[in-house]
Amino acid sequence: ISGGIVDGEPRLDLEYVEDRNASVDMNLVMTGSGKFIEVQGSGEEATFSKDELTALLALARLAPEAARPLLPRFATHPTWQVRMYAARAATAVADTALGVRLAADTHPNVRHAALAGLIDRRQPEAVPAAVAALSSPDHQLVLEATEAFVAPILPADSAPIAPALVEALARLTRPGAAT
């Protein structure tokens, strides 16, 4: 959720003009249970108080659904960091379909955030996304993918997963491979 303080008032989902004129600009990523994953804020024109920060955090906690309609726009943003935050926000609002879509993103950090969310929420959709991630050259993404292969996510017929795991292991441990 994006928020800020505009004209001395805490607000969520700032329009461009409000964001540009905000004295405080903040981005918040939260879980569905209201726990914070990330808090990033800056005093654009001045400092801000603990009370103002508390007001913004409380407003975000009370209105997590305000983020849901914004996610599709952020999920297609050209900047990978914005798509990564969209993946984290998809986890917070339990948007599995968006998490699956972002787990196939072109940037490994976006894929990692989306896959981690699917795994954390124990979504069965994490398994095919994780199998696809095993072929990535990004070692952190491969490591994250292995987290999907534990109960209760792992399907009863896990035989198709073994070849992808063996191939990833062989690729990552071959002589001369960077680890």
Side-chain angles (χ1 to χ4, degrees):
I1 298 172
S2 68
I5 298 177
V6 180
D7 299 327
E9 178 182 306
R11 299 183 190 175
L12 290 181
D13 189 25
L14 302 180
E15 297 295 327
Y16 173 75
V17 174
E18 291 176 312
D19 187 74
R20 187 182 67 205
N21 295 324
S23 60
V24 175
D25 183 25
M26 183 164 289
N27 295 305
L28 304 159
V29 181
M30 299 167 57
T31 66
S33 63
K35 293 183 179 180
F36 292 99
I37 296 170
E38 181 167 343
V39 176
Q40 177 187 19
S42 62
E44 299 294 327
E45 297 176 11
T47 60
F48 56 97
S49 71
K50 181 180 176 188
D51 291 340
E52 290 170 315
L53 173 63
T54 302
L56 276 172
L57 295 177
L59 186 59
R61 193 175 292 233
L62 291 172
E65 287 302 312
R68 185 179 293 278
L70 304 172
L71 291 181
R73 180 178 68 187
F74 296 132
T76 58
H77 197 278
T79 305
W80 70 263
Q81 290 94 337
V82 174
R83 296 191 314 274
M84 181 183 69
Y85 286 117
R88 291 179 182 173
T91 300
V93 299
D95 190 335
T96 301
L98 184 58
V100 169
R101 193 172 101 217
L102 289 170
D105 192 87
T106 57
H107 198 282
N109 288 355
V110 177
R111 292 175 71 190
H112 185 280
L115 184 58
L118 293 169
I119 292 168
D120 287 348
R121 293 187 53 247
R122 299 286 186 230
Q123 297 298 303
E125 294 87 348
V127 173
V131 170
L134 288 174
S135 64
S136 172
D138 185 273
H139 294 174
Q140 278 302 122
L141 183 56
V142 172
L143 182 61
E144 182 67 42
T146 63
E147 295 294 320
F149 307 128
V150 296
I153 299 175
L154 195 61
D157 180 18
S158 58
I161 297 168
L165 281 167
V166 170
E167 190 282 324
L169 180 63
R171 181 172 40 86
L172 294 174
T173 60
R174 76 174 184 269
T179 56

